[in-house]
């Protein structure tokens, strides 16, 4: 992996160099990461254990929570650990692995959000055909295609990263490895690679956002023909999805669809979609979804009863 390179490791600048602020970064993002993992794992366990959450929407929500957990894990643990380190060193191989993981699970999240929009479109606009169109077999096939597409995207990104020669400075002005900050360190003209980056990651983010927003506009327009109760339920579900889409795609588009320039706010914007959005997703999908909350309560109730019975037997 280190052909044409004299650099075998990089130094991450992180979010701040101030010792006091680094401790704050450690505490804040530790809370965020623990909250992300607890929230998403709770959703995963609830959907897997509950018989009432067997619809395609929750099938896709299961994979969104899984992608969120992995996406956050690709950056958050190192950011937390580096906050207490004097020198934030990451090896070349670890850096390339982080680039791969970041794009694999980030792209998977994008595809799952699209599948969730497709599911809502069919459920609301073609309710009679819904069981046939969104059958279990179809959902599994769609998820497999999403994984394949994500893998192809991340392979393309890692190929671009591996083509970059590094022979001078190794200080990455970021808290993680990604193509944008790595382009600044490469010992070559990176215009074409940045163009490929924009046409790949930028195109995926922008086109997916447009597709999602158009689909939700169509869905919301079709709600005029539904009853007040059905309209209220559909609006609640779609509103949750739209919030997630805007929170994720806004920062993503800002980072990946522009010329090779950097702004002081780039790191904070990246923090928002790599760590903030995976943390907010469980809150958005549980606080605004009565079925998920009821399933969690039942799961918790069954667990308490089971533990009580075990204690009585002991």
């Amino acid at each position: 992996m280190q052909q044409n390179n004299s650099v075998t490791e990089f130094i991450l600048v992180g979010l701040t160099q101030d010792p006091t602020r680094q401790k704050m970064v450690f505490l804040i993002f530790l809370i965020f990461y623990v909250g992300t993992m607890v929230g998403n794992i709770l959703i995963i366990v609830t959907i897997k254990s509950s018989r009432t959450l067997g619809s395609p929407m929750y099938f896709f929500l299961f994979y969104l929570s899984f992608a969120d957990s992995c996406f956050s894990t690709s950056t958050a643990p190192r950011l937390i650990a580096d906050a207490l380190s004097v020198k934030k060193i990451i090896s070349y191989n670890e850096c390339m692995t982080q680039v791969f993981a970041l794009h694999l699970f980030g792209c998977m999240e994008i595809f799952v959000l699209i599948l969730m929009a497709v599911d809502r479109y069919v459920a609301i606009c073609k309710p009679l055909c819904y069981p046939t169109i969104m059958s279990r077999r179809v959902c599994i096939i769609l998820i497999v295609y999403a994984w394949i597409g994500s893998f192809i995207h991340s392979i393309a990104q890692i190929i671009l990263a591996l083509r970059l020669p590094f022979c001078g400075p190794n200080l990455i002005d970021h808290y993680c490895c990604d193509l944008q900050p790595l382009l600044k360190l490469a010992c070559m003209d990176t215009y074409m690679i940045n163009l490929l980056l924009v046409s790949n990651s930028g195109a995926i983010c922008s086109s997916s956002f447009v597709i999602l927003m158009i689909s939700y506009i169509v869905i919301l327009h079709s709600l005029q023909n539904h009853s007040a109760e059905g309209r209220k339920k559909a609006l609640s579900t779609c509103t949750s999805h739209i919030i997630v889409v805007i929170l994720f795609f806004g920062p993503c588009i800002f980072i990946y669809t522009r010329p090779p320039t950097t702004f002081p706010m780039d790191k904070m914007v990246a923090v928002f979609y790599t760590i903030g959005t995976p943390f907010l997703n469980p809150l958005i999908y549980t606080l605004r979804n009565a079925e998920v909350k009821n399933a969690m309560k039942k799961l918790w109730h069954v667990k308490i009863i089971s533990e009580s019975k075990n204690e009585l037997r002991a």
Side-chain angles (χ1 to χ4, degrees):
M1 294 178 68
Q2 299 178 16
Q3 293 179 355
N4 303 321
N5 285 332
S6 60
V7 173
T8 58
E9 63 184 24
F10 297 99
I11 300 172
L12 297 167
V13 172
L15 292 177
T16 179
Q17 296 295 301
D18 183 83
T20 304
R21 290 182 179 178
Q22 282 187 338
K23 291 176 183 176
M24 290 175 62
V25 166
F26 171 81
L27 182 61
I28 291 169
F29 288 102
L30 179 62
I31 293 170
F32 267 72
Y33 181 62
V34 170
T36 298
M37 297 307 294
V38 170
N40 283 297
I41 289 172
L42 185 58
I43 289 176
I44 289 169
V45 171
T46 301
I47 293 173
K48 204 70 177 174
S49 307
S50 176
R51 295 179 180 178
T52 60
L53 302 180
S55 67
M57 182 174 73
Y58 299 111
F59 175 80
F60 294 132
L61 180 57
F62 174 91
Y63 283 97
L64 179 66
S65 294
F66 176 76
D68 272 337
S69 301
C70 297
F71 188 49
S72 183
T73 300
S74 67
T75 57
R78 174 163 286 278
L79 172 61
I80 294 165
D82 284 347
L84 299 179
S85 304
V86 178
K87 207 170 186 181
K88 305 166 182 61
I89 296 174
I90 182 170
S91 71
Y92 179 88
N93 289 350
E94 287 174 332
C95 185
M96 295 300 110
T97 301
Q98 190 174 55
V99 171
F100 180 83
L102 188 67
H103 285 272
L104 174 66
F105 297 113
C107 191
M108 183 61 185
E109 183 163 349
I110 289 173
F111 289 150
V112 173
L113 287 171
I114 291 174
L115 293 179
M116 292 176 80
V118 170
D119 173 69
R120 289 302 85 205
Y121 169 79
V122 177
I124 294 169
C125 300
K126 300 181 182 296
L128 297 178
C129 301
Y130 181 72
T132 305
I133 297 174
M134 299 304 295
S135 65
R136 189 74 173 182
R137 180 173 174 274
V138 170
C139 291
I140 291 171
I141 290 172
L142 290 174
I143 282 294
V144 169
Y145 280 143
W147 278 116
I148 292 172
S150 301
F151 185 76
I152 292 171
H153 165 73
S154 53
I155 284 291
Q157 297 301 295
I158 200 66
I159 288 173
L160 291 177
L162 291 172
R163 288 176 62 85
L164 296 174
F166 302 102
C167 51
N170 66 340
L171 190 67
I172 300 176
D173 188 14
H174 214 288
Y175 63 88
C176 68
C177 283
D178 199 3
L179 272 173
Q180 288 283 18
L182 285 173
L183 287 175
K184 294 179 65 178
L185 304 181
C187 305
M188 64 176 288
D189 182 4
T190 58
Y191 176 79
M192 283 304 299
I193 290 183
N194 187 77
L195 198 62
L196 291 171
L197 174 63
V198 170
S199 63
N200 189 334
S201 297
I204 288 175
C205 289
S206 302
S207 59
S208 299
F209 180 72
V210 171
I211 290 169
L212 286 166
M213 295 314 295
I214 290 173
S215 68
Y216 282 117
I217 289 170
V218 173
I219 290 170
L220 294 173
H221 183 265
S222 69
L223 291 177
Q224 295 175 357
N225 303 321
H226 288 66
S227 63
E229 185 179 349
R231 196 157 49 235
K232 183 180 178 182
K233 185 178 179 181
L235 274 172
S236 177
T237 304
C238 290
T239 302
S240 300
H241 294 188
I242 291 169
I243 291 171
V244 170
V245 166
I246 292 172
L247 290 176
F248 181 80
F249 282 94
C252 185
I253 290 171
F254 177 79
I255 294 292
Y256 291 110
T257 58
R258 64 170 202 246
T261 55
T262 56
F263 299 103
M265 66 181 77
D266 281 358
K267 285 188 279 189
M268 290 311 301
V269 170
V271 161
F272 197 82
Y273 80 87
T274 58
I275 298 174
T277 305
F279 172 76
L280 292 172
N281 279 357
L283 298 176
I284 292 169
Y285 281 106
T286 53
L287 292 178
R288 298 186 59 87
N289 193 307
E291 289 181 340
V292 174
K293 285 190 286 187
N294 291 334
M296 285 182 177
K297 288 176 184 176
K298 287 179 183 178
L299 182 65
W300 184 254
H301 183 65
V302 169
K303 186 179 179 182
I304 290 174
I305 292 174
S306 177
E307 288 178 352
S308 300
K309 287 181 178 179
N310 290 335
E311 289 177 1
L312 289 172
R313 287 172 184 172

